[in-house]
């Protein structure tokens, strides 16, 4: 999951690659769980990213992020495919979120 956020940040800089609605569950808890499953993730980083996602993303984009995190496939190809399916508005929203979360949560350091 952290890779998804950091990958999104890198993509914003490179413009190459662009990490609740409908069915139950707790989006924040799902995002934290996926993040904590990654080696090297801290509880503080994961909590910060999940909080930022819940606060900044609309319910549709939050669901997309949760579904991507739950899939476990965070390869560059999977992330590119996910980002390629977003509308321009969703892409802008996600990139704003990723940059904000990256600075606030200290990702990539």
């Amino acid at each position: 999951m952290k890779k998804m956020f950091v990958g999104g940040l890198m993509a914003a800089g490179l413009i190459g690659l662009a990490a609740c609605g409908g069915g139950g569950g707790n989006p924040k808890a799902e995002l934290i769980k996926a993040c904590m499953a990654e080696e090297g993730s801290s509880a503080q980083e994961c909590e910060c990213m999940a909080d930022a996602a819940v606060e900044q993303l609309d319910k549709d984009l939050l669901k997309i992020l949760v579904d991507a995190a739950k899939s476990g496939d965070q390869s560059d190809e999977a992330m590119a495919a996910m980002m390629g399916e977003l509308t321009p508005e969703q892409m802008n929203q996600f990139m704003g979120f990723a940059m904000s979360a990256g600075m606030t949560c200290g990702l990539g350091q």
Side-chain angles (χ1 to χ4, degrees), residues 1-9 35 41-42 44-46 48-49 52 97-109:
M1 164 123 162
K2 195 164 67 171
K3 179 181 177 184
M4 185 180 311
F5 287 100
V6 173
L9 290 172
C35 179
S41 295
S42 74
Q44 184 177 357
E45 287 175 329
C46 293
C48 181
M49 288 187 296
F97 150 71
M99 288 188 281
S100 173
M103 290 185 291
T104 302
C105 302
L107 304 180
Q109 297 178 346

Side-chain angles (χ1 to χ4, degrees), residues 32-79:
I32 291 171
K33 179 180 176 184
C35 179
M36 290 300 296
E38 287 187 26
E39 186 175 323
S41 295
S42 74
Q44 184 177 357
E45 287 175 329
C46 293
E47 179 95 17
C48 181
M49 288 187 296
D51 283 338
V54 170
E55 291 170 9
Q56 296 178 27
L57 300 177
D58 67 30
K59 66 179 175 114
D60 294 332
L61 193 49
L62 184 59
K63 182 177 182 335
I64 291 168
L65 183 61
V66 169
D67 290 347
K70 287 169 52 175
S71 78
D73 184 359
Q74 295 180 17
S75 66
D76 291 340
E77 294 80 16
M79 287 187 287

Side-chain angles (χ1 to χ4, degrees), residues 78-91:
M79 287 187 287
M82 179 194 78
M83 297 306 286
E85 294 176 8
L86 299 180
T87 67
E89 293 80 14
Q90 288 173 319
M91 178 77 78

